[in-house]
Amino acid sequence: MLVGIRSLTLAIAALLAAGQASACRDDRVSLRGDWGQAQFAVEVADDWAEQRQGLMHRSEMPKSAGMLFVYDRPGPVAFWMRNTLIPLDMIFADAAGVVQKVHAMAIPLDETSIPGGSNIQYVLEINGGLADAMGIVAGSQMQHPAIGEGAAWPCEP
């Protein structure tokens, strides 16, 4: 009986480890904080053309989806909502993936600049209102394979 329990325990541990490894994928972003955890299916915008296009001209986005903007190095970033038809929350994170600012409910089609800060390397756009509903705030941690060395919440090898 002890061997059976031990085998079951090892099998469960292996499944959990496999689940954690598969959770860190290019098409997923995870966030965690005192509020809990969340995961979003994402499109990654990591070149100029993709970043310029962003989520413009889309009339809807699934609730659990988003777009992750990945910059080569930390720096000042600012966004606007030109040609963006849906309200968005913008989650600005530093090189370690630590959220520095959350801009809630960006107004569709508004061309007012939305500054994210001066040391930002990652920006996650999700449907407007979700960050507040989930409790995502500054200090939350982001996990994604693009967040490399020095990540506050690194991907498992």
Side-chain angles (χ1 to χ4, degrees), residues 66-78:
M67 180 170 278
L68 179 65
F69 294 78
V70 177
Y71 296 97
D72 292 334
R73 66 186 67 78
V77 299

Side-chain angles (χ1 to χ4, degrees), residues 46-124:
D46 57 4
D47 67 37
W48 184 83
E50 293 167 336
Q51 292 165 351
R52 186 170 182 264
Q53 178 66 33
L55 292 170
M56 291 192 305
H57 305 293
R58 298 188 190 190
S59 59
E60 61 185 7
M61 181 169 61
K63 190 172 185 175
S64 61
M67 180 170 278
L68 179 65
F69 294 78
V70 177
Y71 296 97
D72 292 334
R73 66 186 67 78
V77 299
F79 281 54
W80 62 2
M81 295 289 286
R82 174 182 281 179
N83 298 322
T84 305
L85 307 175
I86 55 177
L88 297 172
D89 289 346
M90 298 175 187
I91 301 168
F92 299 92
D94 63 16
V98 177
V99 175
Q100 300 299 305
K101 178 181 178 179
V102 176
H103 180 88
M105 296 298 292
I107 301 165
L109 305 174
D110 187 3
E111 294 188 16
T112 304
S113 180
I114 301 168
S118 60
N119 197 29
I120 302 301
Q121 191 165 357
Y122 308 98
V123 182
L124 176 63

